[in-house]
Amino acid sequence: MRFRILGPLEVFDGTHWRGISAAKPRTLLATLLVQRDVPVPTGRLGAELWGEREPKAAANLIQQYVMRLRRELGDRQGRLLVTRPPGYQMVLADEDDMDAAAFARLGGSGRAALAAGDAERAAGLLAEALALWRGPALVDVPTGPMVEAEAARLAEQRLDVLQARVEADLACGRHAALVPELRQSVREHPLREGLWGQLMLALYRSGRQAEALDAYREVHRLLADELSIEPSAPLCDLQLRMLRGDPRLGLPATEAEAEGRDQGEREGEGEAEGEGDARARSKSRRRPRPESRPSVGASRAGQPSAAPRQLPAAVAGFAGRRAELRLLDKLPADASAGPGPAVCVIAGTAGAGKTSLALHWAHRAAPHFPDGQLYVNLHGFAPATGPMSPGEAIRGFLEALSVPPERIPDAPEARAALLRTETAGRRLLFVLDNAADAAQVRPLLPGSAGCAVVVTSRGQLTGLAVTDGAVLLSLDVLPREEARELLAARLGADRVAAEPEPVTELIDLCARLPLALAVTAARAVGRPGFALSAVVAELRDVRGRLEALDAGEGVSSVRTVFSWSYRRLDTATARMFRLLGLHPGRDVAAPAVAALAGLSVREAAAALTALARVHLIAEHRPGRYSFHDLLRAYATDLTAAEDTEAARTAALHRLLDHCLHSARAARRHLAPARGEVPLPPPVTGSVPHDPEGYEEAMAWFEAEHAVLLAVADAAGPAGFDGHAWQLPLAMADFLHLSGRWHDWVSTQRTAIVAARQQGDRAGTALCHCESGRAAIRMRRYEEAHRELLRALELQRGLGDLTAQADTLRTLAWSYEQQGDYRAALQRVEQVLELQRAVGNLAGQAGALNNIGWCHTHLGDHEEALARCREALRLHLDGGSPLGAAYTWETLGFIHHSMGQYAEAVDSYRQCRNGFRRFGNRYGEADALHHLGGSLRMTGDQEAARDAWHAALAILDELEHPDADVVRELLLTTAG
């Protein structure tokens, strides 16, 4: 996949270039492209997308935009647009996959050719670079801070390349042809003095000296008027040389320099030897060689000594990590260009291959650091010895740099200062392995440019990024393809290719963790006659998997390596890590963890941050944490060994109560008129989350639904049958509204079994009714009728009139979906009778609205209007504005069907306002969609298109399939 940002943002799909239609996804993609070398935190993406008007649900909306972009880019596996905590990152296969990178490469090559005196080649390369521009960079992207800064930087680079290309063309003698272009350039960039100087030179060399001097006077006036300053010294010098008729101005720069060198040689021919030597020494002082400082390979006594080469051997069979290696490959250039050393921190969980990556790269980068490579294992997580002191590490470095022992001071600060002195002006590579924290690393950093430092740590070491400009590289488990490459490198490509399915399972069982894969490969290498499927069979038992991943040595045992991080935790954080092994979901957020551990949300968040800092868990999305299967197995083993059964049961009870009560609170915002089963209060320590409004409730469900499904599945086997049926009921409306109908069906089947096991007949009836609703949505009408009739039978036996009304309303919906409005009308009239019997005004209003809907579809519009107006009155009297919004929607449909388009317009506007008030984005969009249809019938085409555009903006934001319907309406009514 290729991208263009030097102009409008465009994507090449293999056939043609195309844009990204929706503004927010376009801005998101642009932001990730311009920051492609590092993950962009969700918080910064929110600022880029919305500025100060960032919505509460920003993180969820960003996630939806990411999903949409992945679909548009054909990247459903997330290999291009990668989730990289604390946000997302674009990972391009090749630097030239983006035109800005190709522009930078061509521009750099062109400047190098120009510096080498090859003006023709330079002009060609620089012109090729400029040809990549199609307009201002990112011109169609709504600008946020990062995009705006990158567009400005690229514009500046373009001007630099333009000036270099003009310089090359001047050197090639193309003076006259350059004049029109340069006149246009100074009009567009009037304060760019370099362009004015080039215009003056082109005019002068074209025999137009007067115009060249006029150009100087023009820029002189301009700078005085605009900035109250004089032209720069080079521009003034150029004018004086023109006034004096300097003969060298009439030649290309390269020829003038050659003539100057020749003249200098001729002048020196008759000088005495001493005078010549003095002149040479003078020139040497004016232009010192960069190598003037002694190399590391020379001792202070002048005796030669070898430059330090301390890197341990690179790991055999290294594979993958291509994106990470590309990032590391930038360090030598950064070390030369920056004011200080280039620092990169490779952080990741135990066994992620941090040291392997650092050493593999360090060996291949060693030629860039001719003064030596220094290595130290800082033992940051060593259980026995503890972390190495910075002073001890510095002593080892100073000795490797041939500093005599008597010169090494005792005070740690003095040692650090001496290290900075000894490394100044040199090109050294430092590898600081297994660091504990930023405080251990900071004294070991050199003080000047030329050096690069690679740090590995289980901690995040964000302090080094803040104070020392370090690049943070978070090492996750391997992508599947790279995991397969690792196995092929260790087992042989033929053996891996011979058993593709066992290899795929093996990769998953090892959680794509490099250490686990290496241990498994070692076991397989030791048994060459065994099929890989036999190795996989050993790993399938999750309780025994950690034993199977033990190579017999501490550093090669997955369990032992994990323990080094676990033993460094304080008591409370260690307990939380163990209890996380009980959580059945794939990820967690602080409120659920707080319930699991019986802590406050703030305490839980702090503990999660501490666990993420040492990579026992990972913040894979902002505020959401997960760990791979092997760490989960380790945590499960720990809690079984160290926590009592009563403590584990209590923790699970708190978690289940948190999930159930939070889901119930969120469901009330989605369907406030629905009846509820009374729940006992949550147990102590389980504080539910209570969203504010429809949109926040939907966002909460979107973030938590996968966890809720897992929790519901785990509740029954754990002995919590009540949670096992009540939680699916609390989730039902979300699963319906979000289109997750297969999950809706499966959860209700589980719920029915759990309610029966608990012996709760009312709960069983509710689950049968909800199962019937799900079957209707799946168009399984016979199954739906069976489920609903079972529910009715149980509810009649219990004498529950309200529950019967809900079930009959669902049965009416089933007939309505089949187009049988007479049968539907019969059922909703029964619903009305039951709601009147129990005195439920909101229920009566809902039934009247449904009756009106059936009547209008049967052609009896007057009766439909009467029933809906009565429903509206009851909703307004009863304080149910959401119910009123649904009734306005029905009234809009009735009026439109009767040809009363002005009345329909008014009804749909009322409907839209009602849904907007409750934050029901889809309801608002649907109302706008129908409003546009009624406006069109009134003849107001412009207003109709405005309504459809507003609807489309919301539907695009929600990534709803109805967006295509509205888009088609706009296309067919264009012009």
Side-chain angles (χ1 to χ4, degrees), residues 139-196:
V139 66
D140 63 336
V141 178
T143 56
M146 282 189 285
V147 169
E148 187 173 11
E150 179 66 4
R153 187 186 72 83
L154 288 169
E156 190 69 20
Q157 281 191 347
R158 179 182 177 277
L159 283 174
D160 290 342
V161 170
L162 173 64
Q163 285 186 231
R165 198 222 77 218
V166 171
E167 183 181 346
D169 282 338
L170 285 169
C172 294
R174 303 185 183 104
H175 320 306
L178 286 170
V179 170
E181 178 187 358
L182 285 167
R183 287 201 186 277
Q184 178 64 29
S185 295
V186 296
R187 280 195 294 270
E188 293 174 354
H189 310 285
L191 301 180
R192 192 92 174 184
E193 291 185 64
L195 290 172
W196 283 100

Side-chain angles (χ1 to χ4, degrees), residues 284-285 287-296 298 371 424-426:
S284 176
R285 282 194 297 271
R287 300 184 63 181
R289 293 175 60 210
E291 299 85 9
S292 58
R293 181 176 171 80
S295 72
V296 171
D371 292 328
R426 295 178 176 137

Side-chain angles (χ1 to χ4, degrees), residues 822-868:
R822 292 200 181 278
L825 179 59
Q826 181 183 349
R827 299 309 184 279
V828 291
E829 284 177 339
Q830 290 176 289
V831 172
L832 180 60
E833 291 175 10
L834 289 169
Q835 297 289 14
R836 283 173 173 165
V838 298
N840 184 348
L841 291 180
Q844 292 172 47
L848 286 164
N849 184 38
N850 291 337
I851 288 170
W853 182 257
C854 291
H855 274 297
T856 199
H857 279 85
L858 291 169
D860 192 351
H861 302 308
E862 293 296 340
E863 180 66 17
L865 278 176
R867 293 305 185 102
C868 285

